[in-house]
Amino acid sequence: MSTAPQNLATPSLELVFDTLNGYQRTAALRGAIELDLFTAIAEGNTTAKTISSRIQASEKGTRVLCDFLTIIGFLSKQDQVYGLTQDSTVFLNRHSPAYLGSISTLLGNPELTTAFNDMAGIVRRGGTLMDGEGTVEPDNPIWVVFARSVAPMMSLPAQLIAHLLDAKSGAPWKVLDIAAGHGVFGIELAKQNPNAQVVALDWKSVLEVARENADKAGVSSRYSTMPGSAFEVEFGTGYDLVLLTNFLHHFDPPTNEALLRKVHAALAPGGRAITLEMVPNDDRVSPATPAMFSMMMLGSTAHGDAYTFRDLDSMFRNAGFLYSELREIPPSPQRVVVSYK
Amino acid sequence: MSTAPQNLATPSLELVFDTLNGYQRTAALRGAIELDLFTAIAEGNTTAKTISSRIQASEKGTRVLCDFLTIIGFLSKQDQVYGLTQDSTVFLNRHSPAYLGSISTLLGNPELTTAFNDMAGIVRRGGTLMDGEGTVEPDNPIWVVFARSVAPMMSLPAQLIAHLLDAKSGAPWKVLDIAAGHGVFGIELAKQNPNAQVVALDWKSVLEVARENADKAGVSSRYSTMPGSAFEVEFGTGYDLVLLTNFLHHFDPPTNEALLRKVHAALAPGGRAITLEMVPNDDRVSPATPAMFSMMMLGSTAHGDAYTFRDLDSMFRNAGFLYSELREIPPSPQRVVVSYK
């Protein structure tokens, strides 16, 4: 008969409060990356006083930010000494080869973030309130920013896909990389397979980024570009592999099926389409990272979504593919769908 | 020697990604409250289709929002059926007597949220980038919005404080409620103690809200108001209790000590100052809710902070108080400091 207020069944406002203030978590991490706070700590500045001196900020502001970052999981604190976590050591310290601070620029792009200001309006409409097709609008300059800032983040999944496809076997591949962006996926295949020829398709302004990256990777001689929209350009034929990385989530199923029919026609007999996506389970609420990606698509595109494997398999079958397989590429939260002609 | 990629020691980008997208959690909860989605579910609409019809939104947008709310802890989902959690049943369903959707208006006030847009600048300066004193600026209209929307949220802690002080004993109290705002704390004492006389101090525009609430509570005959700034108005003397609820966090310790000297002088011998605050532990990173409140103060005030009990005890002693006690009022994440003259 206890009515102890600390009973686990007591409702609490803390989650409501924390969620309504959730934007401050975003602001804190973005600010810390901008101030290069993680690098300062990696260099041995571990108190509010020494960190603040290194990042040229106030000691009080630095103390409050470091405490906040400790609470949300990016730092440790013991007595008055702050330390990096494993994630912040690897991804947020500029001296790390896997430094990914640039994704803050990408995910913090004001055009993207302000698209979520009127959530009720988004839900009423069932899609973005941005003009036209939202981020999918042709030649939206967000994609050049995207191509530059997302490239380092895609290096790991690109390697995992090349491994999955056994690129090192050296089979003579003709590869079409649709919406290549930074080009990292096709370039990694060309790096690992000296007999791969890669054609990268994207808008002209974005292909300049891909070409720079191909030059840096030393694969330019086997790298060509095809400017335009994937829905309009003639692909050609005889491809062994067509890459569809982070592309289908921007569109609705009928649009994707029309594209996949073009992909099917472009593949050689026995060819494969390789799709990289945020793929939630059928329940659409797990795993958290891919399942939450639906909201990113709802707010920033007119018709996009995070598709389940069941959804994707259906689109590929409707476009003429024989069957598809779902493959995990841990530790990436993304998944690969391999679809056979 | 295993290098299995699923090893627990593998760094992951998921926390970085989730945090940089954290603003979408805020947007989703605010949108759901605005759409009255929780009430729709409480009324028995439990699928995306029926909920969308009730809230007059698209089915797709409703599905994506409900899935997202499930992931972040505000709904349950079993097969295609959504349900409320305990928190959302109690606080977010408009039919609940404890409905608190109004805090979304408060915490989502654009003047407040945009104050966090330049976190690096805030940390460099060590305080808000808003003009002057930020939200503490005299007659800032945010406080009228605040007084109206925060009142329901403060009803529980007001009852807990009245209980802590044994208001029902009926001792003849003269109470000064500093920065009374909605007035809920003083009004609750007057409701529970028929021999309490309450003087509410705040800016004139805000006191209108307190007076309305005192009228509704039927305590007007024992309720008077004192318009002006707590730092300038003459308090009078002989008070048994002075309430300082959610006030000291706006200012720096010297400013607080000057105020507390005035409070000390206004108290009768044996009188008590009753402070309600977000009080983090000495480590300043626990418990999470009060510790994170430092960031709210850093971004929205020039000199405010979430003070530890050690900080507060020191300010009260410096102002002449004998000693202070820290009291918990579960389930509220806030704490009460009782300081004796």
Side-chain angles (χ1 to χ4, degrees):
Chain A
M1 303 295 287
S2 165
T3 54
Q6 280 174 314
N7 192 303
L8 280 178
T10 304
S12 159
L13 263 177
E14 293 190 64
L15 182 64
V16 175
F17 199 74
D18 186 39
T19 303
L20 290 174
N21 292 334
Y23 69 94
Q24 292 178 13
R25 295 180 179 231
T26 303
L29 181 55
R30 290 184 58 195
I33 291 170
E34 183 179 341
L35 291 163
D36 226 354
L37 181 144
F38 300 103
T39 306
I41 295 175
E43 290 172 351
N45 308 287
T46 59
T47 64
K49 189 177 177 64
T50 57
I51 297 165
S52 68
S53 163
R54 174 68 180 78
I55 66 175
Q56 297 185 281
S58 71
E59 181 175 344
K60 178 184 168 182
T62 302
R63 185 259 294 167
V64 173
L65 180 59
C66 287
D67 285 341
F68 193 88
L69 291 167
T70 302
I71 298 165
I72 68 174
F74 292 97
L75 294 178
S76 62
K77 184 179 186 184
Q78 192 67 46
D79 300 322
Q80 303 307 311
V81 174
Y82 299 98
L84 299 181
T85 61
Q86 188 186 36
D87 290 349
S88 54
T89 301
V90 172
F91 299 122
L92 303 175
N93 157 27
R94 201 177 285 275
H95 301 309
S96 161
Y99 176 72
L100 286 174
S102 59
I103 67 163
S104 175
T105 312
L106 166 71
L107 296 175
N109 186 302
E111 192 185 355
L112 176 64
T113 59
T114 59
F116 291 85
N117 283 354
D118 178 10
M119 177 62 68
I122 291 168
V123 173
R124 286 192 192 102
R125 176 186 276 197
T128 189
L129 302 177
M130 297 164 85
D131 291 341
E133 295 290 311
T135 53
V136 184
E137 197 70 6
D139 282 316
N140 185 323
I142 199 172
W143 294 114
V144 177
V145 176
F146 183 90
R148 293 199 188 278
S149 60
V150 84
M153 185 164 62
M154 288 301 146
S155 166
L156 176 65
Q159 291 171 45
L160 294 167
I161 289 176
H163 179 74
L164 181 78
L165 297 174
D166 196 16
K168 290 191 173 151
S169 69
W173 280 344
K174 187 173 163 191
V175 179
L176 175 63
D177 188 358
I178 291 183
H182 41 69
V184 166
F185 292 98
I187 290 167
E188 187 64 31
L189 291 185
K191 276 170 69 178
Q192 296 204 16
N193 181 347
N195 299 314
Q197 301 277 345
V198 177
V199 180
L201 185 159
D202 212 318
W203 289 312
K204 191 161 179 293
S205 55
V206 182
L207 282 176
E208 289 170 24
V209 183
R211 181 151 287 292
E212 283 169 28
N213 288 333
D215 289 349
K216 276 187 228 158
V219 300
S220 310
S221 65
R222 294 178 283 119
Y223 201 81
S224 59
T225 55
M226 185 183 273
S229 156
F231 297 96
E232 291 161 13
V233 166
E234 188 55 54
F235 294 158
T237 56
Y239 293 99
D240 301 287
L241 296 170
V242 175
L243 306 184
L244 291 157
T245 56
N246 294 313
F247 189 58
L248 301 180
H249 55 240
H250 296 103
F251 312 102
D252 61 18
T255 305
N256 282 331
E257 287 177 14
L259 178 78
L260 296 180
R261 277 190 286 274
K262 277 186 70 180
V263 170
H264 188 269
L267 281 168
R272 291 171 288 175
I274 309 299
T275 303
L276 178 73
E277 277 293 338
M278 291 289 196
V279 183
N281 296 334
D282 283 344
D283 63 14
R284 294 188 195 274
V285 293
S286 69
T289 298
M292 290 173 91
F293 191 71
S294 278
M295 179 57 81
M296 180 70 92
M297 290 300 102
L298 183 73
S300 64
T301 69
H303 304 290
D305 206 347
Y307 292 111
T308 64
F309 175 68
R310 189 189 296 257
D311 295 332
L312 292 165
D313 183 47
S314 163
M315 292 178 220
F316 277 98
R317 284 180 197 268
N318 290 344
F321 285 80
L322 290 177
Y323 65 100
S324 298
E325 292 169 347
L326 181 65
R327 307 288 293 268
E328 308 281 343
I329 48 166
S332 170
Q334 295 203 286
R335 290 164 163 175
V336 174
V337 174
V338 181
S339 305
Y340 294 81
K341 176 165 180 173
Chain B
M1 302 297 286
S2 164
T3 55
Q6 280 176 312
N7 191 305
L8 280 178
T10 305
S12 159
L13 263 178
E14 294 189 64
L15 183 63
V16 175
F17 200 75
D18 186 37
T19 304
L20 291 174
N21 292 334
Y23 68 94
Q24 291 177 14
R25 294 181 180 231
T26 304
L29 181 54
R30 289 184 59 195
I33 291 170
E34 183 179 341
L35 290 163
D36 226 353
L37 181 143
F38 300 102
T39 306
I41 296 174
E43 291 172 350
N45 307 287
T46 59
T47 64
K49 189 176 177 64
T50 57
I51 297 164
S52 67
S53 163
R54 175 67 178 78
I55 67 175
Q56 296 185 282
S58 72
E59 182 175 344
K60 178 183 168 182
T62 303
R63 186 258 294 167
V64 173
L65 179 59
C66 287
D67 285 342
F68 193 88
L69 292 167
T70 302
I71 298 164
I72 67 173
F74 292 97
L75 294 177
S76 62
K77 184 180 186 185
Q78 192 67 48
D79 299 322
Q80 304 306 312
V81 174
Y82 299 99
L84 299 182
T85 62
Q86 188 186 37
D87 290 349
S88 54
T89 301
V90 172
F91 298 122
L92 303 175
N93 156 28
R94 200 177 286 274
H95 301 309
S96 161
Y99 176 73
L100 286 174
S102 59
I103 68 164
S104 175
T105 312
L106 167 71
L107 296 175
N109 186 302
E111 193 185 354
L112 176 64
T113 58
T114 59
F116 290 86
N117 283 353
D118 177 11
M119 178 62 67
I122 290 168
V123 173
R124 286 193 192 102
R125 176 186 277 197
T128 188
L129 302 176
M130 296 165 86
D131 291 340
E133 296 289 311
T135 53
V136 184
E137 197 72 5
D139 283 316
N140 185 321
I142 200 174
W143 295 113
V144 176
V145 176
F146 183 91
R148 293 198 188 279
S149 61
V150 84
M153 184 164 65
M154 288 300 146
S155 166
L156 176 65
Q159 290 171 45
L160 294 168
I161 289 177
H163 179 74
L164 181 77
L165 298 174
D166 196 16
K168 288 189 173 152
S169 69
W173 280 344
K174 188 175 164 189
V175 179
L176 175 63
D177 188 357
I178 291 182
H182 41 70
V184 166
F185 292 98
I187 291 166
E188 187 64 30
L189 292 185
K191 275 170 70 180
Q192 295 204 17
N193 181 347
N195 300 314
Q197 301 276 344
V198 177
V199 179
L201 186 158
D202 212 317
W203 289 313
K204 192 161 179 292
S205 56
V206 181
L207 283 175
E208 289 169 23
V209 183
R211 182 151 288 292
E212 282 169 28
N213 288 334
D215 289 349
K216 276 188 228 156
V219 300
S220 309
S221 64
R222 293 178 285 119
Y223 201 81
S224 58
T225 55
M226 185 183 273
S229 156
F231 297 97
E232 292 161 14
V233 166
E234 188 55 54
F235 293 158
T237 55
Y239 293 99
D240 300 287
L241 296 170
V242 175
L243 306 184
L244 290 156
T245 56
N246 294 312
F247 189 58
L248 301 180
H249 55 240
H250 296 103
F251 312 103
D252 60 18
T255 305
N256 282 332
E257 288 177 14
L259 179 78
L260 296 180
R261 278 189 286 274
K262 276 185 71 179
V263 170
H264 187 268
L267 280 168
R272 292 170 287 175
I274 309 299
T275 303
L276 178 73
E277 277 294 338
M278 289 290 195
V279 183
N281 296 335
D282 283 344
D283 63 15
R284 294 189 195 275
V285 294
S286 68
T289 298
M292 292 173 90
F293 192 71
S294 279
M295 180 57 81
M296 180 70 91
M297 289 301 101
L298 183 73
S300 64
T301 69
H303 304 290
D305 206 346
Y307 293 110
T308 64
F309 175 67
R310 188 189 296 257
D311 295 333
L312 292 166
D313 184 45
S314 164
M315 292 178 221
F316 276 99
R317 283 180 198 269
N318 290 344
F321 284 80
L322 289 177
Y323 66 100
S324 297
E325 292 169 347
L326 180 65
R327 307 289 292 269
E328 308 279 343
I329 48 165
S332 170
Q334 297 203 285
R335 290 165 163 174
V336 174
V337 175
V338 180
S339 305
Y340 294 81
K341 176 165 180 172

